[in-house]
Amino acid sequence: MNIVVTPVLALTPEDRARAGELLLTLLDDYERGLPTAPLVPEFDEEALTDLLSAPISREGIGVEGVFAEIKNKIIPNSTALASPRFLAYVSGPPNGIAPYAEAIAAAINQNCNFWQLGPAASVVERAVLRWLAELVGYPPDAGGILTGGGSIATLNALVTALNAFDPDFRANGLQARSAPAVVYTSTEAHRSVDKAAAILGIGLDHVRHIPVDEQHRMRVDALAEAIAADRRAGLAPFCVVATSGTVTTGSVDPLNAIADLCEREELWLHVDGAYGALFRLGTTTRDRLDGIERADSITLDPHKMLFASLEAGCLLVRDRKRLRDAFAFNSSYLTIAEHPVMVDFMDYGPQLSRGFKALKVWTALQAFGTDAFRAAVDQTLELAQHLAERVRRAEELELMAPVPLTAVCIRLRGATDTDHTEILAQLAREGTALLGPANVNGRMGIRACVTNYRTRREDIDLVVDRLCEFARSVESGRQGRSRQQLAGS
Ligand SMILES: Cc1ncc(COP(=O)(O)O)c(C=O)c1O
């Protein structure tokens, strides 16, 4: 008799079938529930405490048990990032095929370190990188790697820039340098630039935050002055990090003028396009990013405007050799020679073992096609303009900054900074929308960032109407208080 023994950590055929059924039901219920799901859940303290403190079961709770835990404790206590009125930070909902691609990536579990452990995975990652490179105007054989996000991509970019700048960097680090290396970015740059400088030992004292113009773009005259001043002081400028799509207002630094300056000064130009680079897809924004193709390296985030599920960031480097020079190491136990078709991605970034992130990006691009992504990006742009226009027209509200992409910063007239914080919390509590805070020129406001392909005009209108109501109630509360004060004096 042939007895089939299921290995201890595998599922029996019956369990596989049941897990599949439970998964499909769960995904379907989740999708159907999204329009009405609470944006930020009212936490079930008991369930969370239980999750935190429950001991690991010795015998296991099985497929049914685990799905019950997910359904009862995890999903109800999860933030609905895919809700149409999730407009906070820069975070898009995952595209529809993402969960299936993630499941397949987990099943085949390719290790995207060297090609032998994932030949097709290596080629798929290359294909995704080639497509992204073409999109930004890089040559198709540019270097690159998918990362955990934009912050890591920028960190890797600065490693690459330091290696290109100082041939002794790998051997000596920054320890033996007599002239400290200096990096330049704007006051509006994302904090991942500071973080990378701190992690790499460049030091925050050697990050220059260049002032911006009235449209929140890096001032090239001030940049040139700062570089010249540092050279006179005996320091060593090595890199400029420009931003295409700043996190607060979506401003795009003057990329061509900065590229000209970097060429003259022989500085590495990195563009942080975590939020903005993929607006190359947008019909009205394509040209706004002109000059991005002149950068030595670019950060962009498929988990933002390509609506990949978290995590999917990307670093592109125009000269692939530069990236390899920064990260390739020999080791006696990894001796497979690089194949002309398949890249060993362990030589293009700090990780050895790496998951198959490229599959979810590739699957989505294949399934929907680029026209669908362009339409989604165009829709976010159109909605952001609609929001901006409604704010301009509402006398209770003030548009705090121009809206070149999809971030819209709004101040309620008459409201204090504390009022703004309270209104943000109230909007989330009552389920109207999750918005984020904005600090524009030192003034506090509310920021809606349309990076959501599920958002519709009705959602935007609801948010604006509610903000106007808040502004009116703040105003009437203030008038009431001043009347009381007058009566009391
Ligand atoms: C301009 C910019 N740079 C970098 C980042 C960081 O990206 P990630 O969250 O993928 O690390 C963000 C995130 O919003 C961003 O907007």
Side-chain angles (χ1 to χ4, degrees):
M1 197 170 71
N2 227 356
I3 300 173
V4 181
V5 180
T6 306
V8 67
L9 292 181
L11 296 184
T12 61
E14 296 74 34
D15 276 347
R16 274 207 305 276
R18 185 69 186 128
E21 234 175 87
L22 288 166
L23 176 65
L24 292 185
T25 309
L26 185 146
L27 292 179
D28 198 50
D29 288 351
Y30 189 73
E31 175 76 31
R32 286 175 197 279
L34 270 176
T36 51
L39 278 150
V40 180
E42 256 181 61
F43 306 123
D44 174 350
E45 294 270 358
E46 205 183 308
L48 292 181
T49 310
D50 207 32
L51 282 174
L52 183 66
S53 51
I56 298 179
S57 141
R58 266 197 75 190
E59 294 86 24
I61 58 173
V63 167
E64 296 279 351
V66 99
F67 270 93
E69 287 284 288
I70 293 169
K71 188 172 167 210
N72 298 331
K73 296 183 187 159
I74 296 185
I75 295 198
N77 290 296
S78 296
T79 302
L81 269 80
S83 155
R85 278 174 275 117
F86 183 96
L87 298 168
Y89 316 107
V90 191
S91 194
N95 65 76
I97 201 141
Y100 307 92
E102 293 272 33
I104 295 165
I108 62 178
N109 204 31
Q110 298 297 278
N111 195 337
C112 303
N113 47 13
F114 49 96
W115 66 263
Q116 192 192 33
L117 301 192
S122 175
V123 174
V124 166
E125 184 158 351
R126 285 193 74 185
V128 166
L129 291 167
R130 178 175 53 80
W131 188 81
L132 293 173
E134 280 171 12
L135 181 73
V136 296
Y138 265 8
D141 62 343
I145 188 161
L146 295 187
T147 63
S151 307
I152 302 293
T154 294
L155 177 68
N156 293 359
L158 288 188
V159 174
T160 313
L162 280 169
N163 273 280
F165 165 69
D166 181 349
D168 296 327
F169 176 68
R170 175 170 291 194
N172 297 332
L174 294 170
Q175 310 275 31
R177 291 193 55 82
S178 54
V182 184
V183 58
Y184 302 80
T185 195
S186 89
T187 49
E188 291 292 307
H190 192 263
R191 67 176 177 178
S192 52
V193 181
D194 283 350
K195 217 171 183 179
I199 292 169
L200 286 171
I202 293 166
L204 294 179
D205 284 353
H206 301 114
V207 183
R208 304 280 177 261
H209 294 101
I210 305 299
V212 293
D213 63 16
E214 70 294 341
Q215 293 186 49
H216 309 276
R217 302 172 303 190
M218 194 194 295
R219 272 182 41 205
V220 184
D221 60 324
L223 174 62
E225 276 166 29
I227 294 167
D230 282 334
R231 289 208 197 279
R232 282 195 300 276
L235 304 180
F238 79 99
C239 178
V240 175
V241 180
T243 311
S244 68
T246 56
V247 63
T248 302
T249 65
S251 61
V252 179
D253 287 338
L255 302 176
N256 269 315
I258 295 174
D260 288 343
L261 181 63
C262 286
E263 265 168 36
R264 280 199 303 278
E265 295 285 342
E266 297 185 359
L267 301 180
W268 185 277
L269 173 58
H270 178 68
V271 172
D272 176 3
Y275 164 35
L278 286 164
F279 284 97
R280 259 310 216 204
L281 272 171
T283 312
T284 54
T285 44
R286 215 202 118 66
D287 298 347
R288 202 160 295 156
L289 300 179
D290 277 356
I292 195 169
E293 71 287 353
R294 293 176 63 192
D296 294 288
S297 54
I298 301 170
T299 286
L300 56 89
D301 261 358
H303 65 209
K304 296 192 168 79
M305 296 315 294
L306 276 189
F307 309 104
S309 47
L310 293 164
E311 304 166 346
C314 175
L315 171 65
L316 295 173
V317 178
R318 186 146 41 83
D319 179 354
R320 179 177 182 216
K321 183 176 172 301
R322 294 289 195 191
L323 184 60
R324 202 172 187 287
D325 287 349
F327 289 104
F329 274 75
N330 290 327
S331 45
S332 57
Y333 52 91
L334 298 170
T335 52
I336 308 287
E338 191 163 282
H339 188 279
V341 176
M342 294 165 283
V343 159
D344 295 337
F345 279 100
M346 66 184 181
D347 289 337
Y348 294 82
Q351 280 179 273
L352 178 55
S353 294
R354 300 174 64 245
F356 191 6
K357 286 191 174 67
L359 185 65
K360 60 189 167 191
V361 183
W362 181 88
T363 307
L365 290 169
Q366 295 282 9
F368 296 108
T370 50
D371 285 354
F373 283 96
R374 179 162 289 112
V377 168
D378 280 348
Q379 180 181 304
T380 64
L381 286 161
E382 195 268 316
L383 288 176
Q385 287 311 320
H386 173 63
L387 172 55
E389 191 45 39
R390 281 222 49 196
V391 172
R392 271 189 215 104
R393 287 206 318 260
E395 58 186 25
E396 299 91 337
L397 306 177
E398 174 195 338
L399 188 65
M400 300 177 81
V403 182
L405 299 179
T406 60
V408 185
C409 297
I410 307 161
R411 193 167 164 90
L412 279 63
R413 293 193 198 279
T416 62
D417 288 359
T418 321
D419 290 336
H420 280 89
T421 311
E422 279 170 12
I423 289 163
L424 272 178
Q426 175 58 23
L427 284 168
R429 242 189 333 262
E430 69 190 27
T432 301
L434 192 70
L435 306 176
N439 184 328
V440 182
N441 299 330
R443 294 166 74 221
M444 176 75 189
I446 284 177
R447 176 177 171 282
C449 192
V450 193
T451 46
N452 192 331
Y453 66 85
R454 293 175 185 268
T455 309
R456 297 278 171 268
R457 263 181 180 239
E458 308 82 270
D459 299 307
I460 299 288
D461 289 338
L462 185 79
V463 171
V464 179
D465 293 345
R466 197 71 186 102
L467 288 177
C468 290
E469 278 171 26
F470 277 122
R472 286 196 292 272
S473 74
V474 165
E475 179 60 22
S476 62
R478 218 177 36 167
Q479 283 173 3
R481 274 195 305 280
S482 53
R483 267 198 301 277
Q484 273 173 5
Q485 275 164 4
L486 279 177
S489 61

